[in-house]
């Protein structure tokens, strides 16, 4: 009887401990129709990413397919609130069941929309310092994850806010780690410019890969520069708005899959 009681208590406290684990990371959308049209409107996705990174909180950009650990993550929702002379935004973090886990409103006073939204998001998240506890007890089935390059750290800002000019890529490819612009240097040579390079260890808009065409359509030999300056060689395939790069690092293959925006 005592053994049975001990076992029941063990399961109870084990389940309680599991329920009290914090969320692992934050998923940031790259489109906010209520804020503006297109990709990363007024750089709000980039601002969210930068703030979370500065707080030491892991973040990834939203992809077409949900990751397998979707319920270990929180999703960002931005809502505009009415104000005649200021930019007000309600920043929410919601779990995989759309429950609001954290919410706060911020105010931006700049007349420039990009700067004003950045101020509002910064204000709203000024008191947010760590991911809250994940109290979901049940597993929720989600779609399989896409193939991504491993994320060593959250990417930094795509473009800038304020009076600086925002870089607008013409041929944007991205995954949860990289934002790159695929630029054609000539008929048989392409380069990848990393837009979010600073927090990955690169310079902003640094060329990090060279793709040289081969005799096979859509196939390229590739040289990839690591943040440490090491050159990795491999091959790349470009088809159906998908760029797949396979590199050799320490005699092991590294696959980076990027999708066109």
């Amino acid at each position: 009887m005592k053994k049975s009681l001990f076992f029941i208590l063990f399961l109870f406290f084990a389940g309680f401990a599991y329920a009290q684990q914090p969320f692992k990371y934050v998923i940031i959308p790259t489109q906010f129709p209520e804020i503006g049209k297109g990709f990363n409107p007024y750089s709000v996705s980039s601002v969210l990413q930068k703030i979370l990174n500065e707080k030491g909180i892991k973040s990834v950009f939203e992809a077409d397919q949900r990751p397998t650990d979707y319920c270990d993550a929180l999703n960002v929702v931005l809502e505009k609130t009415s104000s005649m002379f200021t930019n007000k935004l309600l920043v929410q973090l919601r779990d995989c069941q759309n429950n609001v886990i954290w919410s706060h409103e911020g105010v931006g006073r700049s007349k420039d929309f990009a700067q004003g939204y950045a101020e509002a998001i910064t204000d709203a998240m000024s008191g947010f310092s760590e991911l809250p506890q994940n109290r979901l007890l049940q597993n929720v089935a989600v779609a399989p994850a896409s193939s991504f390059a491993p994320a060593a750290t959250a990417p930094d800002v795509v473009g800038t806010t304020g009076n600086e000019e925002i870089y607008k890529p013409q041929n944007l490819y991205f995954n949860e780690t990289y934002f790159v612009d695929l630029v054609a240097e000539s008929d048989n040579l392409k380069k990848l410019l990393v837009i979010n390079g600073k927090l990955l260890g690169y310079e902003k808009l640094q060329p990090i890969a060279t793709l040289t065409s081969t005799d096979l359509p859509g196939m390229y030999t590739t040289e990839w520069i690591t943040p440490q300056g090491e050159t990795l060689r491999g091959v790349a395939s470009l088809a159906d708005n998908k760029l797949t790069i396979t590199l050799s690092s320490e005699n092991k293959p590294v696959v980076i899959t990027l999708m066109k925006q």
Side-chain angles (χ1 to χ4, degrees):
M1 180 66 181
K2 290 183 178 180
K3 290 184 178 180
S4 299
L5 180 60
F6 175 80
F7 182 68
I8 292 171
L9 289 173
F10 172 79
L11 291 178
F12 174 79
F13 284 110
F16 180 78
Y18 171 78
Q20 297 303 303
Q21 293 297 312
F23 288 92
K24 294 180 179 178
Y25 61 99
V26 176
I27 299 174
I28 304 172
T30 55
Q31 295 186 356
F32 290 94
E34 188 175 347
I35 303 298
K37 297 180 180 179
F39 182 85
N40 192 19
Y42 297 107
S43 295
V44 294
S45 301
S46 303
V47 172
L48 286 162
Q49 178 194 55
K50 182 175 184 291
I51 291 172
L52 290 170
N53 186 76
E54 289 174 346
K55 294 176 181 291
I57 297 172
K58 180 182 177 182
S59 65
V60 300
F61 290 104
E62 188 176 48
D64 290 336
Q65 291 181 308
R66 291 177 175 178
T68 54
D69 60 349
Y70 183 61
C71 286
D72 289 326
L74 289 172
N75 296 272
V76 177
V77 175
L78 296 183
E79 294 183 2
K80 292 174 63 176
T81 53
S82 60
S83 177
M84 184 176 296
F85 301 108
T86 58
N87 294 296
K88 285 189 176 182
L89 287 178
L90 179 67
V91 181
Q92 293 184 340
L93 297 177
R94 300 184 182 184
D95 64 18
C96 64
Q97 295 183 343
N98 208 34
N99 299 310
V100 177
I101 304 301
W102 181 91
S103 178
H104 207 279
E105 186 181 67
V107 178
R109 303 190 181 280
S110 175
K111 294 181 179 179
D112 176 75
F113 279 124
Q115 187 64 33
Y117 287 141
E119 292 171 357
I121 294 171
T122 302
D123 181 39
M125 303 192 71
S126 60
F128 184 79
S129 59
E130 59 184 11
L131 289 174
Q133 301 297 315
N134 184 353
R135 302 184 186 279
L136 290 176
L137 297 179
Q138 68 274 20
N139 294 322
V140 179
V142 296
S146 302
S147 175
F148 290 114
T153 180
D156 72 335
V157 179
V158 179
T160 57
T161 58
N163 296 323
E164 298 181 34
E165 182 179 355
I166 297 175
Y167 179 78
K168 297 181 180 179
Q170 302 300 310
N171 203 16
L172 178 67
Y173 284 76
F174 75 103
N175 63 15
E176 64 180 12
T177 304
Y178 299 99
F179 278 121
V180 296
D181 196 9
L182 181 61
V183 179
E185 295 283 311
S186 64
D187 290 341
N188 64 347
L189 184 66
K190 300 180 187 293
K191 288 190 176 181
L192 294 181
L193 305 183
V194 61
I195 301 169
N196 60 328
K198 288 188 177 180
L199 292 181
L200 299 175
Y202 297 101
E203 295 297 322
K204 182 181 176 183
L205 297 180
Q206 177 181 337
I208 61 170
T210 302
L211 283 66
T212 305
S213 60
T214 67
D215 293 335
L216 298 175
M219 294 297 298
Y220 301 83
T221 58
T222 305
E223 291 187 351
W224 180 284
I225 306 299
T226 68
Q228 295 76 30
E230 181 186 2
T231 299
L232 304 180
R233 292 176 173 79
V235 295
S237 63
L238 180 61
D240 298 327
N241 294 326
K242 180 179 178 182
L243 176 61
T244 303
I245 300 173
T246 304
L247 304 168
S248 177
S249 177
E250 298 180 352
N251 296 321
K252 296 180 180 179
V254 176
V255 179
I256 300 171
T257 302
L258 302 158
M259 302 300 297
K260 186 170 184 179
Q261 199 280 327

